[in-house]
Amino acid sequence: MARGTPRAPHAARVAVIGGGPGGLYAAALLKRQDPGRQVTLWERNRPDDTFGFGVVLSDETLGGIESADPDVYAALRREFVRWDGIDVVHRGTVLRSGGHGFAALGRHRLLEVLQRRCLDLGVRLLFRTPAPPAAELARTHDLVVAADGLHSRTREDHRDVFRPTLTPHRCRYLWLAAGTALDAFRFEIAETPHGVMQLHAYPYRHDASTVVLEMREEVWRRAGLDRLDAAASARRCAEWFGPPLGGQSLRSHRSAWAAFVTVVTERWHDGRIVLLGDAAHTAHFSIGSGTKLAVEDALALSHRLERARTVPEALAAYEAERRPVVESTQRAARASLEWFEELALHVDQPPRRFAFNLLTRSRRVTHDNLRLRDAAFVAAVEAEAGVPPGTPPMFTPFRLRGLTLRNRVVVSPMDMYRAVDGTPGDFHLVHLGARALGGAGLVMTEMVCVSERGRITPGCTGLYTPEHERAWRRITGFVHTEAPGTAVGIQLGHSGRKGSTRLMWEGIDQPLPHGNWPLVAASPLPYRAGVSQTPHALTRDGMTAIRDQFTAAARRAARAGFDLLELHCAHGYLLSGFLSPLTNHRQDAYGGTLTARLAYPLEVFDAVRAAWPDDRPMTVRISATDWADGGTTADDAVAIARAFAAHGADAIDVSTGQVVPDERPAFGRSYQTPFADRIRHEAGVPVIAVGAISSWDDVNSLILAGRTDLCALGRPHLYDPAWTLHAAAEQDYEGEGARWPVPYRAGSRRPPTGRKM
């Protein structure tokens, strides 16, 4: 708002439901902002009722508090316990990473500070008083702030507007405290006869630490903790985790074992009513605190209310500001939560790699920023993993059968839709050649179709004629001659029910306006009901014919000089259509159980493997989940990967989705990597991770953590064909993992910017 412009007279009467930190802080800020406001807060519990013990706040949050209310900041600052180390305890080995920076205080003390500030400002606090329904308050107040927590009555009363989704997770956790102050954030793992358990602990006073115990539901039950109250559970858990806490007993306070619930709401405000903190969203405690998010919500709400001319305008602006931040936090929290749910997969890692994996689990802490915080720690992790000094993990070699890749970067298969009658031309030569010159260890073709009717669009490439073979040989010859050290792989596939469509930019998944060809699939189910062509269910004769087309294409690929062959069993194309229960409704030997659904894809794989040279590797791309109810699950993906590995697959290329159009992917940074991680550890097969991996820092992090063996990147290579070489230059790396082509060596250093005198 411009200087001198009077603020519109709105929000003169404010009701706050919930007396936790978020509600109290919002009440204090709104009253301080306009002393003439009437601000009333209802809390059904007593002033000192709370669960848990300590609260961790980030420097960013503290900076916001200091700017908005220096008095609150000064009061809190006197209470803080600060530290910068994280200890990870793995099978008796304590590994410390420094340079992180934390501040914590007791939850009771935080409430006391905020309650005192509210009273000093003139906020009316009504404890042990249930609030009237939000709709009723909205009739007599200009603004109703619902900070009524995870079990928000307001959210449920207005669920048709807020449209919440509550997702319970697979671990049970319990908040406890120990009468000793740790000097670092501590993660400790206990491998008990009942299963793996974990402890998260941090100091919050000079003489006390918060302790959170967490374990999978089945471990909790096997340990008999489901039959014990919090006090008895604390005594039992002290047997497993007592020594690291100095032999101190663990105590509880209004705590009970719970399963964490992620709350997501599609809308945060309704007229004069607005959700704040856990009422609107939750994020797993392993990456921070719900208190932090609630306090930041309160800061944003007061800021927007001060600048807007109306309450609806302020609430819309508040949600627009906070939602992207919260969603990013929730994605990181979900990654962290799922890592701990799958903790048993990682405990056999060497100690330092395990610690690095844990520290980077949310994908917010990465190889590069961890190195900035504690270079010695990262160097020790790299040494343990066998990474040569001065070599980023992404530039270490990797062997698949008789092929050694010089680095861990793969140019992901990307359909270009530039072929003529299946024949790749100059565009493909330049496209693939440029990326081979750009330094990647492996450059993959787009999906190359095994027959004319197996194409997705008229612009898709094929390998079903001698002309196709000659054209591909021209491209592989260029790569091997001009980019020595770069391998080139071919991905073979058949479109199945997703074929006979327009080029992507002319209408993705839309049928051709004319010239459509008949489609085949596992079952006669159109991809888009009412839009897509209905395919014919493949007969046994048809299955044999297509298997032979794959075999013929594999022989042509070998003669054309490809170094690696990938069988496309993902994204809803023909072989993927057999694997998913959503697209395979067959009643014969190729439908029903997962074993039956695997039969035909494995038959094709075996035929291709027999036709493909024995010293050259084969990989298989799968969709590890359909992102849809009733579809392929992560458990299925592990079984599918095991089956292909048992038949001779050298690696599994782990993608997800694109099988059914009504999927609901959980997009985010490296969002498909956890599926690859699980397959790598459970199936014991090398994996290629794909999906929103965009930076060399991501690649280094994923490789060093042991979550994948190779990383496939698509869009970054569209943006920059020399992405890998530039990644090497930006990391001051000049080794064998990223050799610049001789004509390009003069450009191996970033050009100077600006004029130097």
Side-chain angles (χ1 to χ4, degrees):
M1 180 173 282
R3 184 182 297 275
T5 303
R7 187 172 62 244
H10 62 276
R13 301 191 70 206
V14 176
V16 179
I17 305 173
L24 287 165
Y25 193 49
L29 288 174
L30 294 175
K31 184 66 174 176
R32 182 178 185 274
Q33 186 181 91
D34 185 350
R37 277 191 182 123
Q38 296 180 27
V39 181
T40 305
L41 181 147
W42 284 262
E43 169 55 54
R44 61 188 178 87
N45 295 313
R46 297 177 303 178
D48 60 347
D49 275 350
T50 184
F51 79 95
F53 296 91
V55 174
V56 178
L57 297 175
S58 69
D59 289 341
E60 180 183 13
T61 305
L62 295 175
I65 293 173
E66 183 178 18
S67 176
D69 192 336
D71 290 344
V72 169
Y73 176 77
L76 295 179
R77 185 176 58 182
R78 291 192 290 269
E79 305 292 332
F80 284 138
V81 174
R82 292 185 177 272
W83 71 97
D84 73 353
I86 298 177
D87 285 348
V88 178
V89 186
H90 178 270
R91 293 179 175 171
T93 300
V94 181
L95 297 164
R96 175 164 292 189
S97 171
H100 297 278
F102 296 98
L105 76 163
R107 187 174 178 87
H108 280 101
R109 187 63 187 128
L110 173 62
L111 291 175
E112 289 172 359
V113 168
L114 294 176
Q115 289 165 11
R116 172 51 54 191
R117 185 58 172 155
C118 283
L119 292 172
D120 289 346
L121 291 168
V123 175
R124 185 182 179 208
L125 299 179
L126 302 177
F127 288 101
R128 289 190 268 194
T129 307
E136 180 180 325
L137 289 171
R139 288 194 287 270
T140 56
H141 292 76
D142 302 300
L143 173 64
V144 179
V145 180
D148 46 351
L150 172 64
H151 304 293
S152 171
R153 173 186 171 189
T154 306
R155 185 186 64 228
E156 293 307 306
D157 286 348
H158 299 261
R159 65 178 301 114
D160 58 325
V161 175
F162 297 133
R163 296 186 293 278
T165 300
L166 278 67
T167 306
H169 297 284
R170 294 184 290 174
C171 283
R172 290 279 179 160
Y173 68 95
L174 179 68
W175 289 91
L176 300 169
T180 185
L182 298 171
D183 62 351
F185 210 121
R186 188 180 188 95
F187 293 98
E188 178 143 359
I189 312 305
E191 296 175 71
T192 76
H194 316 293
V196 178
M197 303 176 184
Q198 61 255 29
L199 171 148
H200 315 238
Y202 57 87
Y204 69 90
R205 278 194 336 231
H206 71 279
D207 60 352
S209 297
T210 286
V211 177
V212 186
L213 299 174
E214 189 179 24
M215 63 200 73
R216 286 281 287 263
E217 171 108 14
E218 59 270 25
V219 176
W220 176 70
R221 292 188 183 279
R222 285 197 296 264
L225 297 173
D226 58 324
R227 300 186 294 275
L228 302 179
D229 62 16
S233 293
R235 290 192 294 271
R236 177 72 62 84
C237 291
E239 299 172 8
W240 297 308
F241 293 107
L245 299 173
Q248 294 284 332
S249 61
L250 300 174
R251 58 189 172 88
S252 66
H253 174 71
R254 300 185 69 240
S255 298
W257 288 101
F260 188 83
V261 177
T262 297
V263 175
V264 175
T265 50
E266 293 185 21
R267 183 179 170 90
W268 294 3
H269 66 282
D270 178 20
R272 299 175 179 180
I273 303 169
V274 63
L275 302 179
L276 184 147
D278 284 358
H281 48 71
T282 60
H284 193 250
F285 52 80
S286 61
I287 72 157
S289 74
T291 300
K292 172 185 180 297
L293 288 177
V295 166
E296 291 173 350
D297 283 355
L299 285 164
L301 178 61
S302 65
H303 175 79
R304 290 300 179 179
L305 199 66
E306 184 175 34
R307 284 156 178 74
R309 294 185 177 275
T310 66
V311 168
E313 178 186 325
L315 300 189
Y318 153 74
E319 181 170 345
E321 175 186 340
R322 286 295 294 159
R323 182 177 287 279
V325 177
V326 168
E327 288 177 346
S328 175
T329 301
Q330 287 186 310
R331 286 192 294 269
R334 187 177 185 97
S336 178
L337 175 155
E338 290 175 347
W339 192 91
F340 281 111
E341 285 184 336
E342 301 295 346
L343 180 61
L345 294 179
H346 307 292
V347 292
D348 288 331
Q349 288 187 306
R352 289 177 176 81
R353 172 167 274 192
F354 176 84
F356 180 86
N357 198 350
L358 186 152
L359 293 173
T360 60
R361 67 195 180 280
S362 73
R363 305 192 280 276
R364 282 192 161 182
V365 176
T366 63
H367 174 269
D368 196 45
N369 59 41
L370 195 56
R371 186 174 55 183
L372 290 174
R373 300 178 194 193
D374 191 339
F377 173 81
V378 173
V381 178
E382 291 175 342
E384 181 188 72
V387 177
T391 301
M394 65 185 291
F395 292 115
T396 54
F398 189 72
R399 187 174 181 84
L400 288 171
R401 203 168 285 233
L403 176 67
T404 298
L405 302 176
R406 63 180 176 183
N407 61 53
R408 306 301 185 94
V409 179
V410 178
V411 176
S412 194
M414 294 176 283
D415 288 323
M416 294 289 108
Y417 308 105
R418 301 296 290 176
V420 177
D421 295 328
T423 304
D426 289 347
F427 180 92
H428 298 87
L429 174 66
V430 174
H431 167 69
L432 295 171
R435 281 143 191 86
L437 292 170
L442 173 64
V443 175
M444 292 297 300
T445 69
E446 60 195 85
M447 186 177 92
V448 176
C449 305
V450 298
S451 69
E452 184 177 19
R453 289 187 174 183
R455 293 176 298 164
I456 309 166
T457 76
C460 290
T461 57
L463 190 46
Y464 46 87
T465 72
E467 182 183 1
H468 297 159
E469 183 181 326
R470 287 191 295 272
W472 284 118
R473 189 182 304 119
R474 175 180 176 232
I475 293 169
T476 62
F478 176 88
V479 171
H480 293 145
T481 301
E482 301 296 342
T486 295
V488 58
I490 185 169
Q491 185 187 73
L492 292 182
H494 187 294
S495 61
R497 70 175 187 156
K498 296 178 75 174
S500 191
T501 62
R502 305 179 193 190
L503 304 185
M504 181 178 65
W505 47 85
E506 293 176 354
I508 189 168
D509 297 327
Q510 297 297 309
L512 295 169
H514 51 78
N516 285 281
W517 55 85
L519 304 180
V520 293
S523 298
L525 304 170
Y527 181 65
R528 292 188 181 276
V531 175
S532 304
Q533 183 186 153
T534 299
H536 300 286
L538 271 174
T539 64
R540 180 59 257 189
D541 287 346
M543 293 162 67
T544 299
I546 290 176
R547 180 200 65 198
D548 292 346
Q549 290 167 356
F550 272 96
T551 303
R555 293 194 180 98
R556 290 191 175 98
R559 293 194 298 266
F562 285 101
D563 303 298
L564 175 148
L565 187 150
E566 179 165 282
L567 189 64
H568 201 335
C569 296
H571 300 169
Y573 298 122
L574 182 69
L575 298 180
S576 170
F578 274 86
L579 292 173
S580 172
L582 296 177
T583 52
N584 183 342
H585 294 180
R586 298 177 73 99
Q587 301 297 313
D588 61 5
Y590 300 97
T593 66
L594 178 57
T595 299
R597 299 196 308 273
L598 265 163
Y600 183 59
L602 288 174
E603 177 184 326
V604 173
F605 178 90
D606 289 342
V608 171
R609 179 68 267 182
W612 185 243
D614 187 62
D615 62 330
R616 301 188 208 179
M618 263 189 75
T619 63
V620 179
R621 173 168 278 202
I622 66 170
S623 286
T625 176
D626 293 341
W627 299 114
D629 291 341
T632 298
T633 67
D635 289 341
D636 293 336
V638 173
I640 290 168
R642 281 196 179 112
F644 279 114
H647 282 245
D650 298 291
I652 304 298
D653 187 354
V654 187
S655 187
T656 63
Q658 302 180 53
V659 175
V660 292
D662 57 343
E663 64 180 4
R664 299 188 65 184
F667 289 120
R669 182 178 183 180
S670 309
Y671 71 105
Q672 297 177 144
T673 303
F675 298 97
D677 189 1
R678 183 174 174 191
I679 287 171
R680 184 178 190 271
H681 286 89
E682 287 197 23
V685 60
V687 295
I688 305 169
V690 305
I693 302 170
S694 58
S695 71
W696 49 259
D697 195 18
D698 288 337
V699 177
N700 284 329
S701 301
L702 295 170
I703 297 298
L704 189 57
R707 296 185 198 128
T708 188
D709 300 285
L710 300 167
C711 289
L713 299 91
R715 288 179 177 85
H717 282 113
L718 294 179
Y719 180 76
D720 179 6
W723 185 89
T724 307
L725 292 179
H726 292 156
E730 289 168 11
Q731 296 176 83
D732 296 320
Y733 173 73
E734 297 179 341
E736 291 300 320
R739 284 296 178 194
W740 284 70
V742 174
Y744 288 178
R745 284 181 184 169
S748 62
R749 282 286 173 265
R750 183 189 293 275
T753 57
R755 181 176 297 174
K756 294 184 178 180
M757 298 300 291

